[in-house]
Amino acid sequence: MRKCDFTSGKWVFDQSYPLYDSSCPYLSTAVTCTKNGRPDSDYEKWRWKPHGCEIPRFNALEFLGKMRKKRIMLVGDSIMRNQWESLVCLIQSVIPMARKTVTYVGPTMAFHAMDFETTIEFCWAPFLVELKKGPENKRILHLDMIEENAKYWRGADVLVFDSAHWWTHSDKYSSWDLIMEGNSFYRNMNPMVAYEKGLMTWAKWIDLNLDPRKTRVFFRSMSPRHNRENGWKCFNQREPLEFFSHPHVPEPLLVLKEVLRGMSFPVSFQDITTLTALRRDGHPSVYSKFVSQTGKQHLGDYKSDCSHWCLPGVPDTWNEMLNVML
């Protein structure tokens, strides 16, 4: 497996998937596309097959055995929450009802598998650095402040990060009103410059505060959206693309790789961008809430979610990869 390049391969249809079904009690409504009225379910049955090797099928008991007495924390935005729900659903079915529970503390939620003393947590921190309310309710993004979020990460055995979507929201949906660095305020800063500065603050915190003998750190690359108008709208897409004629490398990916390269802490980079970009069929689209029979006549009026992922679905593959990397 060490020689295996997970990033190049193809999606193969596999009847033995999915690994759980949409009745998993830990799924949020927005990702249970079948329950919300999506008529097809083939998107649940594609397995990623790298060229020249296989990603082993996820085995819940094996995973829990390996993670016994450990805290796993996934940190980031709603796409990371998508991945957390997937991971919890992948393991929860082997745990008796009375031996699992979910607790909430501040921006975190934690699934506990009691008999294994394992917790799988999600920590909401879409920028990793701090976004705070300032005077006149202005949202201020502090590029050099992180401790308010990072205090929750201490003591975890495995940390998995992502951060990209909130940095690249278009002007209309900008995620902040002002950017602050040191004592300076900025109204307009190139989002990629801001992203790099934010990541540098994160990298410095990891380098100074964590011990690689005690904590494994992963950074998952950005999950592509498929909401461009020119044929990429994800509504009614029923199967993956086979390949790209021009593979597109998103700018945040280049910035991220550059920052990781400069770190002294050995962060494992999990690149899911290309394989996920092929899956335009895997998004909730209009099925992020329940669509009734009458609603089905007016699907054009629904907002289409082409960023998040239906579950079971694509994030299960990210977790199968993560399991191998662990």
Side-chain angles (χ1 to χ4, degrees):
M1 295 308 285
R2 289 207 176 284
K3 292 195 188 69
C4 180
D5 175 9
F6 288 158
T7 56
S8 77
K10 61 174 196 236
W11 288 98
V12 294
F13 195 73
D14 186 335
Q15 282 293 3
S16 72
Y17 278 70
L19 299 164
Y20 57 91
D21 65 37
S22 59
S23 67
C24 169
Y26 302 98
L27 293 177
S28 48
T29 314
V31 300
T32 52
C33 306
T34 321
K35 281 187 177 171
N36 294 339
R38 180 168 170 164
D40 59 311
S41 59
D42 281 359
Y43 65 87
E44 299 179 349
K45 298 188 179 302
W46 295 95
R47 174 171 61 79
W48 179 247
K49 163 84 180 77
H51 298 311
C53 60
E54 295 278 345
I55 296 176
R57 191 182 171 86
F58 193 92
N59 179 316
L61 283 172
E62 209 173 273
F63 180 84
L64 284 163
K66 194 162 54 179
M67 293 293 121
R68 186 181 287 280
K69 293 189 158 74
K70 291 200 182 343
R71 265 182 78 199
I72 305 155
M73 184 180 264
L74 280 56
V75 181
D77 53 25
S78 55
I79 310 280
M80 190 56 98
R81 173 165 176 174
N82 222 184
Q83 184 174 350
W84 177 83
E85 291 184 14
S86 155
L87 186 55
V88 169
C89 287
L90 283 166
I91 63 162
Q92 67 90 26
S93 63
V94 300
I95 305 165
M97 205 59 212
R99 308 301 297 155
K100 55 192 170 190
T101 166
V102 173
T103 55
Y104 301 86
V105 179
T108 70
M109 45 214 264
F111 173 86
H112 307 271
M114 297 176 200
D115 296 331
F116 292 88
E117 296 174 59
T118 302
T119 57
I120 298 176
E121 302 175 47
F122 166 68
C123 179
W124 172 255
F127 294 107
L128 305 179
V129 293
E130 296 171 26
L131 180 69
K132 293 184 166 185
K133 275 282 189 323
E136 297 169 25
N137 250 350
K138 290 253 188 280
R139 298 163 304 165
I140 302 172
L141 181 62
H142 295 267
L143 295 182
D144 48 9
M145 289 168 72
I146 199 166
E147 190 55 44
E148 273 301 298
N149 295 329
K151 64 183 182 196
Y152 294 99
W153 313 339
R154 295 178 187 276
D157 300 283
V158 176
L159 283 162
V160 185
F161 293 93
D162 90 320
S163 183
H165 279 269
W166 282 50
W167 297 91
T168 53
H169 281 176
S170 62
D171 299 339
K172 199 167 71 171
Y173 298 112
S174 177
S175 318
W176 60 80
D177 302 307
L178 290 167
I179 286 180
M180 192 170 179
E181 189 184 19
N183 295 322
S184 312
F185 281 99
Y186 302 92
R187 251 185 211 296
N188 300 311
M189 184 185 280
N190 175 318
M192 285 304 101
V193 171
Y195 182 54
E196 182 172 21
K197 287 174 182 284
L199 283 180
M200 296 289 280
T201 300
W202 167 84
K204 199 155 90 189
W205 188 91
I206 297 285
D207 279 345
L208 291 174
N209 290 280
L210 297 184
D211 178 349
R213 287 166 306 198
K214 295 190 176 133
T215 311
R216 295 278 312 268
V217 176
F218 296 84
F219 206 113
R220 171 174 65 56
S221 66
M222 57 285 318
S223 152
R225 304 182 180 107
H226 291 97
N227 47 9
R228 288 194 296 246
E229 286 295 352
N230 51 5
W232 278 84
K233 272 279 186 248
C234 61
F235 175 55
N236 256 348
Q237 297 293 348
R238 295 291 170 91
E239 48 190 51
L241 295 162
E242 287 198 24
F243 60 88
F244 294 112
S245 43
H246 308 290
H248 167 66
V249 180
E251 204 180 349
L253 193 54
L254 302 173
V255 173
L256 171 63
K257 283 183 166 173
E258 199 51 44
V259 170
L260 293 179
R261 227 173 267 134
M263 293 176 70
S264 57
F265 191 101
V267 174
S268 304
F269 175 57
Q270 185 186 7
D271 188 351
I272 55 104
T273 303
T274 312
L275 66 102
T276 306
L278 297 166
R279 291 301 307 276
R280 57 188 182 175
D281 59 312
H283 298 285
S285 174
V286 297
Y287 302 106
S288 60
K289 47 182 185 283
F290 180 69
V291 178
S292 63
Q293 284 310 106
T294 37
K296 285 188 177 160
Q297 270 94 71
H298 308 283
L299 286 176
D301 308 338
Y302 281 76
K303 200 160 96 335
S304 194
D305 177 352
C306 299
S307 300
H308 298 96
W309 300 95
C310 295
L311 290 179
V314 175
D316 304 332
T317 297
W318 308 344
N319 284 322
E320 288 194 303
M321 286 168 74
L322 178 65
N323 180 37
V324 173
M325 291 172 81
L326 277 166

